[in-house]
Amino acid sequence: MVALQRPPWVYMGGRLTEWDKATVHVGSEALIRGISVFEGVKGYWKHDGSELALLALREHYHRLTRSALLQHLPFTTPYEGFRDACLMLVRKLMTKERDLWLRPTLFAIEGHWGLDTVTDLVITCYNQDKKQPEPIEIGVSTWQRPLDTGLPARVKSAANYQISRLARIEGRRQGFGDMILLNQWGRVAEATGSCVLMVRDGRVATPPPHEGCLESITVNIIEALCGTLGIPFARRPIDRTELMVADEVALAGTLMELGVVKRLDFRAMPATTPVLGRITDEYWACVRGQRQHPAVQLTPV
Ligand code: PMP
């Protein structure tokens, strides 16, 4: 895993701010209780280098709004204001050679136990290599995705990533690049920062959000691409043992993109991935603007 390089500018308090001046108070709920919700958004250069565009920005805005609602964080910025804030920062930081990843975060900067909460939208942006992800080796964590009545996976809150962090530390000790988190029934929930896709007999399956995963924007895109490609796609529970005997497995998410799994716990996965290969080709052609698909919405910068 590559550490993110520190950019010179951040969006905070409604304007661009120098990185060193972008601070929150030590007494804020953002810090003392880890109260924030966030998104991760990818910016892709077109295949011919003519334009940079943000993928599924509106969908990310809507999920941020839902997370804020569920976490009782006031968020009144309309989509247009959110979009313009992202574009302002991206225009300042984009470079021709690299894609980028934006992290809009809504912090609770004032308030106490949910009373008189004041929030601030902070956006950070990091340059990213243009290359596609390498196949990955993943394990199965002993840490679990909590219940919807505990730490709901549907809310993309910073607190949710406590478990992901523990699972990654556990995985690193075992030589794995990522880890599958099971839910309280011992079925597949998701990975630490992405969802799980499995192929069996030419059909794609992924756990639905009520199994303990985030409502993934990437999975929605992949479902639509599968529809066009004529690949059957189902959202259904997946046992751990069913995942172990899958023909092909991948992790899917904004930052992960489509990471094909080459080793799953004790099993070396088959070297060929005919179904995932087709989906991956289509995904890249669409996000790079070589092909158009209604499910792949690109906001030019
Ligand atoms: N699950 C978790 C825990 C994640 O952090 C992410 C990345 N946002 C995903 C799933 C995939 O969601 P998306 O495709 O919307 O990025």
Side-chain angles (χ1 to χ4, degrees):
M1 178 185 290
V2 187
L4 296 171
Q5 270 177 346
R6 180 182 134 152
W9 297 98
V10 171
Y11 178 92
M12 188 176 200
R15 60 188 175 83
L16 295 184
T17 305
E18 285 170 49
W19 177 277
D20 289 336
K21 297 190 179 139
T23 54
V24 293
H25 199 272
V26 289
S28 67
E29 279 204 309
L31 260 164
I32 60 171
R33 297 194 184 95
I35 305 297
S36 68
V37 293
F38 72 102
E39 282 299 316
V41 182
K42 267 299 293 228
Y44 288 104
W45 279 98
K46 275 199 167 162
H47 64 107
D48 58 6
S50 62
E51 191 173 74
L52 181 82
L54 303 181
L55 177 61
L57 191 62
R58 200 179 275 276
E59 285 80 358
H60 284 288
Y61 169 79
H62 286 307
R63 189 171 62 191
L64 185 65
T65 305
R66 297 197 297 274
S67 293
L69 174 80
L70 291 168
Q71 193 89 335
H72 301 275
L73 291 173
F75 182 44
T76 52
T77 309
Y79 170 68
E80 289 71 25
F82 174 78
R83 178 199 59 203
D84 292 349
C86 291
L87 293 180
M88 190 198 300
L89 183 64
V90 168
R91 287 187 185 126
K92 192 88 181 164
L93 296 177
M94 63 197 242
T95 60
K96 268 267 173 204
E97 301 73 38
R98 305 185 76 198
D99 292 331
L100 45 82
W101 182 69
L102 284 172
R103 190 188 201 276
T105 307
L106 194 67
F107 285 112
I109 54 167
E110 278 178 40
H112 190 61
W113 290 116
L115 283 175
D116 304 322
T117 306
V118 176
T119 58
D120 188 22
L121 176 68
V122 176
I123 310 174
T124 47
C125 174
Y126 307 90
N127 288 309
Q128 297 251 299
D129 286 343
K130 281 186 186 170
K131 61 181 190 321
Q132 296 186 17
E134 297 290 329
I136 42 175
E137 306 195 344
I138 64 173
V140 181
S141 180
T142 55
W143 295 101
Q144 278 188 355
R145 241 316 143 240
L147 286 162
D148 190 57
T149 49
L151 204 52
R154 180 170 282 105
V155 184
K156 195 164 166 58
S157 62
N160 250 330
Y161 291 81
Q162 303 288 337
I163 289 93
S164 294
R165 182 172 175 272
L166 291 172
R168 281 204 190 186
I169 291 169
E170 180 185 36
R172 208 174 293 140
R173 278 204 305 266
Q174 299 169 13
F176 292 122
D178 207 331
M179 297 294 269
I180 300 276
L181 295 164
L182 303 176
N183 61 24
Q184 72 270 25
W185 303 286
R187 292 192 295 264
V188 177
E190 60 181 348
T192 61
S194 52
C195 283
V196 180
L197 298 176
M198 168 191 90
V199 181
R200 283 195 84 188
D201 302 323
R203 312 170 88 82
V204 178
T206 190
H210 61 72
E211 288 286 294
C213 63
L214 186 68
E215 294 180 341
S216 161
I217 292 163
T218 314
V219 170
N220 289 347
I221 292 174
I222 290 168
E223 180 177 26
L225 297 183
C226 283
T228 312
L229 293 168
I231 300 171
F233 183 102
R235 295 179 192 254
R236 61 167 179 82
I238 298 176
D239 288 327
R240 176 187 185 152
T241 51
E242 189 183 17
L243 189 71
M244 290 310 306
V245 296
D247 303 328
E248 302 171 45
V249 175
L251 302 184
T254 299
L255 195 54
M256 171 62 69
E257 293 155 330
L258 259 165
V260 170
V261 173
K262 66 173 178 185
R263 176 166 203 88
L264 174 55
D265 199 356
F266 56 84
R267 181 182 175 212
M269 295 298 295
T272 52
T273 52
V275 177
L276 288 176
R278 285 180 67 205
I279 299 170
T280 305
D281 288 350
E282 194 63 18
Y283 187 82
W284 284 102
C286 289
V287 301
R288 293 262 180 237
Q290 271 163 307
R291 272 200 287 281
Q292 306 218 320
H293 193 287
V296 182
Q297 290 295 323
L298 294 166
T299 302
V301 174

